[in-house]
Amino acid sequence: MPSSMRQFCRTPALRHFSCSATLMVSDPASTVSAGMHQTPIVDELWRRRQMKAAGSATPEVRVFAADHPKTPQFSRTSITYPFSSSEKLRDSYSNPWGKIRVGRVLEDLDALAGNIAAYHCESDQPPLVIVTASVDRITMRHRANLKDDMTLSGTVAWVGTSSLEIHMAVTSSWTDMPWLTAQFVFVARDPQSGKAARVPPLAPETQNEKDLFERCAAISQARKQARKERDAAKADSVSMLEWPDHQYLVKAQDLLKKSVQLTQFPSLMGHYVFQSDTAASNQLICQPQQRNTRGRVFGGFLMRRAFELGFATSYSFSGAQPRFREVDRVVFHSPVEIGDLLRLRSTVLYTSTSKDGRTLMHIEVEAFVAKPEHKSTVLSNTFNFTFESDGKLVLPEVLPASIEEAHKAVCQMSLNREQEVCDAAPSAQ
């Protein structure tokens, strides 16, 4: 690493790298590596990760046994965006309206979360394969100013048998309150068998860390129980789809009744539109420059492309520049390889009104790997976003044309309801 870039900081009591540094965008890359074709932040984060894996940073770092508990501080990582002093960096993160390009930040979040998960899983055993399982939520709490320096930071919040939950935040230099928060879930795989592998336990130290750990554990357990209940109550009379509960099946049936009315009496139904009429799509060949540290397509790149298609979909649907509100969920179904033909399709699942009276657009983007040679496609990712429209606009109600479309809409309604309940809980404040 060039001498002008601050090196890893070592915390003697913990004998590990705190990995906090300020990016210097003027430093040239000395080698060709994964990350260098992404954002400058991704490049720096992956450079650190590769240096650490190669043991080039410091030889006296203690190597723990695979079952040795680690504190959240062990993997805590942060990196600073020096926007106030770097016009080049500001330009690379600016959208057409002079605001921060959220899709770029999503790339950085994925890289940071991957670093944190890898640091926590370091041991005296062969390195585990760490993959992104899902993004539980990314929430934008207020608008950020590109003239302010920002710090991206995160740590392990909870650990299961083979999974880790990473919590991150982006804060501006003038406040301690983050303008964006994120929760990623990673799973560990054995490099030989590909099966789930145990990860080191987490040993929270402070009361806040302990409370967060317990809250995450309770949410994880509740989700497992909900999955069991859905599996046991599969609606075999309705396409074998899994419904959150009976009330959402009833809601889906009500939506489909309206759809029939819209088909039969379009001139009498007023302000309605079918989901399919809101769709937008694009496709691309995945290039080597989009690879991650394992040679597959970088998940952050996929999130950025999905986000920007979702933004364009909400823009064309509402007729005005939308405002990003949150990433509700991202699910990684299967990996995307370099050279794959990737197809992305975006639709408005439904619209709603927030508690503060704003109209929200709930967007789903699905990514498929297409195999023209075999005339087949495989679902690789599902992305769910919420955008906010201009409060003066009256948007049409979106209706499903099939039970499958209705299922997508009501499942997202259920997820949003769960998030509202979680936000209202005292422990979430």
Side-chain angles (χ1 to χ4, degrees):
M1 179 178 290
S3 58
S4 60
M5 187 175 292
R6 195 176 304 169
Q7 299 287 342
F8 295 118
C9 301
R10 189 164 67 253
T11 305
L14 298 174
R15 296 186 63 80
H16 78 288
F17 305 126
S18 65
C19 306
S20 180
T22 297
L23 178 73
M24 304 298 292
V25 297
S26 60
D27 289 332
S30 58
T31 59
V32 177
S33 63
M36 66 178 298
H37 300 288
Q38 312 297 334
T39 73
I41 298 294
V42 172
D43 189 18
E44 166 61 5
L45 286 167
W46 285 356
R47 192 200 311 266
R48 295 181 186 183
R49 187 167 167 184
Q50 289 164 348
M51 287 178 61
K52 200 163 189 289
S56 59
T58 177
E60 67 270 18
V61 174
R62 180 181 173 188
V63 178
F64 293 103
D67 60 351
H68 181 85
K70 295 177 181 176
T71 66
Q73 183 63 30
F74 182 88
S75 59
R76 192 177 303 277
T77 309
S78 65
I79 193 165
T80 297
Y81 302 76
F83 288 132
S84 64
S85 59
S86 175
E87 183 178 356
K88 181 178 179 181
L89 191 65
R90 285 199 304 273
D91 184 67
S92 67
Y93 279 83
S94 176
N95 70 15
W97 302 278
K99 302 292 194 297
I100 193 160
R101 189 176 172 186
V102 176
R104 285 286 198 181
V105 179
L106 297 184
E107 288 187 89
D108 298 344
L109 286 169
D110 191 61
L112 178 68
N115 274 27
I116 292 170
Y119 294 156
H120 180 83
C121 292
E122 287 177 346
S123 73
D124 56 359
Q125 299 299 308
L128 299 174
V129 175
I130 309 297
V131 297
T132 312
S134 66
V135 177
D136 279 357
R137 204 174 183 188
I138 301 175
T139 304
M140 186 171 177
R141 302 187 179 279
H142 62 82
R143 288 185 181 271
N145 192 327
L146 269 175
K147 295 180 180 179
D148 300 323
D149 289 348
M150 298 179 193
T151 299
L152 174 59
S153 60
T155 189
V156 179
W158 174 81
V159 165
T161 303
S162 60
S163 60
L164 310 89
E165 185 166 326
I166 314 297
H167 285 209
M168 295 170 287
V170 189
T171 55
S172 297
S173 56
W174 57 271
T175 178
D176 291 332
M177 295 297 294
W179 66 266
L180 185 143
T181 57
Q183 301 166 24
F184 280 55
V185 175
F186 283 76
V187 294
R189 303 292 184 196
D190 183 274
Q192 301 300 323
S193 66
K195 296 180 179 180
R198 285 186 173 274
V199 297
L202 186 69
E205 295 180 302
T206 69
Q207 192 58 50
N208 284 341
E209 291 171 350
K210 293 176 182 178
D211 291 344
L212 179 59
F213 183 93
E214 292 300 325
R215 188 160 67 249
C216 292
I219 292 173
S220 176
Q221 184 59 38
R223 286 175 177 167
K224 288 180 181 178
Q225 183 60 34
R227 282 196 296 269
K228 288 181 180 179
E229 293 174 358
R230 287 197 299 269
D231 289 343
K234 278 187 177 179
D236 55 4
S237 62
V238 191
S239 303
M240 294 298 291
L241 297 172
E242 299 178 12
W243 301 88
D245 57 41
H246 183 69
Q247 68 170 321
Y248 286 101
L249 172 57
V250 174
K251 175 66 175 176
Q253 292 169 338
D254 290 341
L255 290 172
L256 289 171
K257 288 178 183 178
K258 286 186 179 180
S259 297
V260 172
Q261 293 170 346
L262 179 59
T263 301
Q264 296 178 343
F265 307 100
S267 62
L268 302 179
M269 284 300 290
H271 218 41
Y272 291 91
V273 64
F274 283 117
Q275 271 186 29
S276 57
D277 294 330
T278 70
S281 62
N282 59 35
Q283 59 182 347
L284 65 143
I285 300 295
C286 298
Q287 304 293 338
Q289 294 79 11
Q290 295 146 9
R291 70 190 184 279
N292 60 18
T293 55
R294 296 195 60 81
R296 286 174 165 164
V297 174
F298 173 40
F301 168 79
L302 298 174
M303 279 199 291
R304 175 170 65 81
R305 291 300 299 252
F307 171 84
E308 292 177 351
L309 179 59
F311 183 95
T313 301
S314 59
Y315 196 171
S316 61
F317 174 75
S318 65
Q321 183 192 142
R323 178 180 175 180
F324 168 65
R325 190 145 176 145
E326 68 180 20
V327 178
D328 298 295
R329 175 176 53 188
V330 177
V331 180
F332 292 79
H333 302 286
S334 61
V336 180
E337 306 290 349
I338 301 303
D340 279 347
L341 173 59
L342 187 70
R343 291 177 174 172
L344 297 111
R345 186 175 188 273
S346 175
T347 55
V348 181
L349 293 182
Y350 70 101
T351 59
S352 67
T353 302
S354 66
K355 290 182 178 179
D356 53 2
R358 300 180 184 275
T359 301
L360 305 180
M361 295 167 283
H362 303 273
I363 311 292
E364 180 180 77
V365 180
E366 292 181 310
F368 297 88
V369 172
K371 300 291 185 182
E373 301 88 346
H374 305 292
K375 301 180 181 64
S376 65
T377 58
V378 176
L379 179 66
S380 62
N381 304 84
T382 306
F383 308 85
N384 291 96
F385 304 101
T386 299
F387 292 92
E388 184 180 300
S389 73
D390 188 316
K392 299 177 182 178
L393 297 174
V394 178
L395 301 182
E397 182 177 348
V398 180
L399 295 176
S402 66
I403 190 64
E404 289 77 17
E405 289 183 355
H407 179 259
K408 289 181 179 181
V410 300
C411 284
Q412 187 59 32
M413 292 177 189
S414 174
L415 175 64
N416 289 335
R417 177 56 184 161
E418 289 175 9
Q419 291 174 342
E420 290 174 359
V421 171
C422 183
D423 290 343
S427 58
Q429 305 301 319

